[in-house]
């Protein structure tokens, strides 16, 4: 294990506890989610030069104009995703650095994650393997198309925003499944879609700010 993974002062129990308290104050109440945030090494998913900020409740740059989501956003989306029951099979759009994938892998049955920027996808794979999370299935592709050969999914979580929800993602949601995604242009709302048969119920929740859901691969 390298020094970054073994952890240094910034990864101390006290620093992580402060983040958990902050998430509680911000309304996160699912104890399983809080425990996974406490035990997932966020510093391991970002550049060493930023590692001292790893347990602050802020988004941080991960290169290629992308960011690792703010811990509150990861916690809130995960809490919403597992609220109806732990999903057996989850699709994530926007692997980025792989942090949210690691959180999902600790809570859900199997995790499939798609990223459109190849170097980010490759780096996420190395990090997840090093953390013993090789079971997370990763693909370099346009997440707007979902992952048809593995559908249906009991949960779908997108970490990038669009004004509309791609029809392909709704079609790949299992009966009884839930999709969580930021919807909007510059102003976005966390949006939850529940599928019952061919009926889709949509609710708009918190105001959020995500990187854009882009088309094609890079
Ligand atoms: N899940 C990450 C968040 C990364 S930011 C975390 O743990 O913090 C969102 C990511 O979505 C970026 O890496 C971006 O490249 C990716 N993305 C944007 N549009 C996409 C698309 N159509 N398909 C797949 N990934 C996409």
């Amino acid at each position: 294990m390298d020094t970054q993974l073994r952890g240094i002062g910034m990864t101390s129990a006290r620093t992580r506890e402060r983040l958990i308290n902050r998430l509680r104050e911000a309304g996160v109440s699912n104890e399983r989610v809080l425990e996974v945030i406490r035990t997932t090494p966020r510093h391991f998913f970002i550049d060493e030069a930023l590692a001292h900020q790893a347990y602050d409740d802020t988004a941080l740059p991960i290169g290629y104009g992308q960011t690792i989501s703010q811990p509150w956003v990861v916690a809130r989306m995960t809490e919403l995703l597992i609220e109806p029951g732990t999903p057996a099979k989850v699709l994530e759009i926007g692997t980025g650095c792989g942090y949210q994938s690691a959180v999902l892998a600790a809570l859900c049955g199997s995790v499939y994650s798609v990223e459109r920027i190849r170097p980010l996808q490759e780096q996420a794979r190395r990090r997840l393997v090093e953390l013993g999370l090789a079971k997370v299935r990763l693909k370099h592709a346009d997440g707007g198309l979902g992952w048809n050969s593995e559908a249906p999914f009991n949960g779908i979580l997108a970490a990038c925003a669009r004004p509309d929800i791609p029809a392909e993602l709704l079609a790949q949601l299992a009966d009884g499944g839930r999709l969580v995604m930021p919807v909007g242009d510059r102003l976005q709302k966390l949006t939850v879609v529940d599928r019952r048969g061919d009926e889709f119920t949509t609710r708009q929740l918190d105001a959020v700010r995500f990187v854009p859901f882009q088309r094609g691969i890079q």
Side-chain angles (χ1 to χ4, degrees):
M1 221 181 253
D2 68 19
T3 43
Q4 220 197 340
L5 191 49
R6 206 166 51 235
I8 24 183
M10 72 198 70
T11 70
S12 73
R14 200 147 37 96
T15 312
R16 294 193 190 198
E17 201 51 46
R18 200 167 54 215
L19 173 61
I20 300 306
N21 289 337
R22 148 98 198 138
L23 297 180
R24 276 189 212 281
E25 280 164 19
V28 178
S29 61
N30 186 304
E31 291 299 328
R32 290 177 64 214
V33 172
L34 289 168
E35 189 51 30
V36 170
I37 300 278
R38 190 202 312 278
T39 53
T40 304
R42 190 167 182 259
H43 65 283
F44 184 64
F45 290 90
I46 57 182
D47 196 273
E48 255 178 295
L50 294 172
H52 63 286
Q53 288 177 271
Y55 298 94
D56 291 351
D57 191 21
T58 51
L60 295 166
I62 56 171
Y64 305 91
Q66 307 304 319
T67 55
I68 179 172
S69 303
Q70 179 191 357
W72 173 79
V73 152
V74 172
R76 177 81 177 123
M77 289 183 93
T78 307
E79 174 171 83
L80 287 167
L81 191 75
I82 71 172
E83 190 181 52
T86 304
K89 197 171 184 182
V90 171
L91 174 66
E92 178 192 25
I93 311 299
T95 316
C97 61
Y99 174 69
Q100 170 86 67
S101 326
V103 168
L104 291 172
L107 288 162
C108 307
S110 44
V111 179
Y112 294 76
S113 185
V114 182
E115 170 59 55
R116 64 181 288 278
I117 301 177
R118 189 184 284 283
L120 285 178
Q121 194 252 338
E122 286 171 349
Q123 190 177 44
R125 186 187 299 283
R126 284 195 296 276
R127 285 174 167 153
L128 290 166
V129 166
E130 208 170 326
L131 283 181
L133 294 173
K135 66 171 189 171
V136 176
R137 298 269 310 274
L138 301 175
K139 186 161 85 156
H140 175 232
D142 180 353
L145 306 173
W147 192 327
N148 203 24
S149 60
E150 294 294 344
F153 298 95
N154 311 96
I156 299 181
L157 184 155
C160 36
R162 249 171 76 148
D164 59 315
I165 300 174
E168 287 84 350
L169 296 186
L170 294 174
Q172 292 176 27
L173 192 61
D175 189 5
R178 172 172 285 196
L179 174 145
V180 183
M181 172 178 165
V183 176
D185 190 4
R186 275 162 40 126
L187 292 174
Q188 308 144 16
K189 287 277 176 69
L190 267 191
T191 302
V192 172
V193 182
D194 287 310
R195 177 173 195 167
R196 299 280 173 275
D198 284 331
E199 244 181 69
F200 296 84
T201 313
T202 304
R203 282 184 294 145
Q204 296 220 312
L205 305 168
D206 320 68
V208 285
R209 190 187 294 263
F210 276 80
V211 295
F213 197 128
Q214 288 168 322
R215 288 173 202 272
I217 54 173
Q218 169 180 328

